[in-house]
Amino acid sequence: YKNLIRINSLYSNIKNAKFTKKNKIITYIDSGLGHPDVKKLNLEQDIKIFEYYKKLNFFLKKIKNKKKKIIYFCLHPKAKYPSSILQLLKKNFVVKVGIKDSYLYNSEFLILNTSSLVNKIIFIKKKIIIVNSINLGNWINKKILNLINEIKLCNINLDNKFFDYNKIFKNSFNSLKYYDSYIKNNLTEDKTKNYYESIKYKLNNL
């Protein structure tokens, strides 16, 4: 591109007063490995669905026991899940389809691999734990790496057999100090304007 014009992120419209921030739950946002786009992009052979969810289940159960909090497991609304995986998840977590703002605001941590909601979570200053695994395949792991290169987030490899959970909690908290810089450099071009005002101003001054 010859010229790129920065505008404010859509999430610059967020009013934090809309919800009271609490830390009652922990939420995992699933990217949907059974999403139709996975098949469309020919990524199926590179992803090991059963192996990934088994490792994830083990990790989340440990988090739940350590924190003594309910975990909301938010399924991707367009993804298909094997029945055995759904049974496993429902046995250990509160399974929801899709994600609501109330889940974000009520969570102590948001756990995910890739999600379009990362910027929104950063805007509302919630702790993030990124999980990766060889079972996610090269394409998803490259997306995770790109995000980690943009902002230093707590990044956990589920292929490990042992986890230092206190270190994980500490690292996710320490990552909060990078949020303001990330917002300034990537999401907010002009603090005095919201998303729509930003677009209008830029178009009027072309």
Side-chain angles (χ1 to χ4, degrees), residues 127-198:
K127 290 177 282 188
I128 297 172
I129 297 174
I130 301 291
V131 291
N132 69 77
S133 167
I134 191 172
N135 302 128
L136 288 171
N138 290 330
W139 188 74
I140 293 177
N141 280 314
K142 283 180 181 177
K143 290 183 70 177
I144 293 172
L145 184 60
N146 288 339
L147 174 62
I148 298 303
N149 286 337
E150 286 286 338
I151 180 171
K152 189 175 180 181
L153 298 173
C154 180
N155 185 21
I156 304 302
N157 186 346
L158 296 181
D159 302 328
N160 294 334
K161 297 192 181 295
F162 302 99
F163 303 97
D164 184 339
Y165 291 95
N166 289 329
K167 185 177 180 180
I168 290 171
F169 301 147
K170 181 179 178 181
N171 287 344
S172 66
F173 174 79
N174 288 340
S175 292
L176 291 171
K177 65 187 178 185
Y178 301 107
Y179 283 20
D180 285 340
S181 176
Y182 178 82
I183 290 171
K184 180 180 177 181
N185 295 329
N186 297 276
L187 305 178
T188 303
E189 193 270 336
D190 185 346
K191 285 186 177 181
T192 66
K193 299 177 177 62
N194 64 29
Y195 170 70
Y196 302 104
E197 291 168 343
S198 175

Side-chain angles (χ1 to χ4, degrees), residues 42-53:
N42 199 28
L43 301 173
E44 285 179 305
Q45 294 181 351
D46 201 26
I47 294 173
K48 309 299 180 187
I49 291 181
F50 288 94
E51 289 85 346
Y52 172 74
Y53 284 116

Side-chain angles (χ1 to χ4, degrees), residues 82-131:
S83 58
S84 59
I85 295 298
L86 283 176
Q87 289 174 8
L88 180 66
L89 298 176
K90 289 177 179 178
K91 180 181 177 181
N92 297 305
F93 316 114
V94 177
V95 175
K96 302 285 186 179
V97 178
I99 182 80
K100 294 181 179 180
D101 281 348
S102 59
Y103 305 165
L104 302 182
Y105 282 87
N106 282 319
S107 292
E108 180 178 359
F109 301 98
L110 280 304
I111 304 173
L112 52 101
N113 50 63
T114 59
S115 173
S116 58
L117 290 171
V118 167
N119 288 341
K120 186 172 188 177
I121 296 167
I122 290 173
F123 252 114
I124 64 175
K125 307 292 178 65
K126 283 291 183 174
K127 290 177 282 188
I128 297 172
I129 297 174
I130 301 291
V131 291

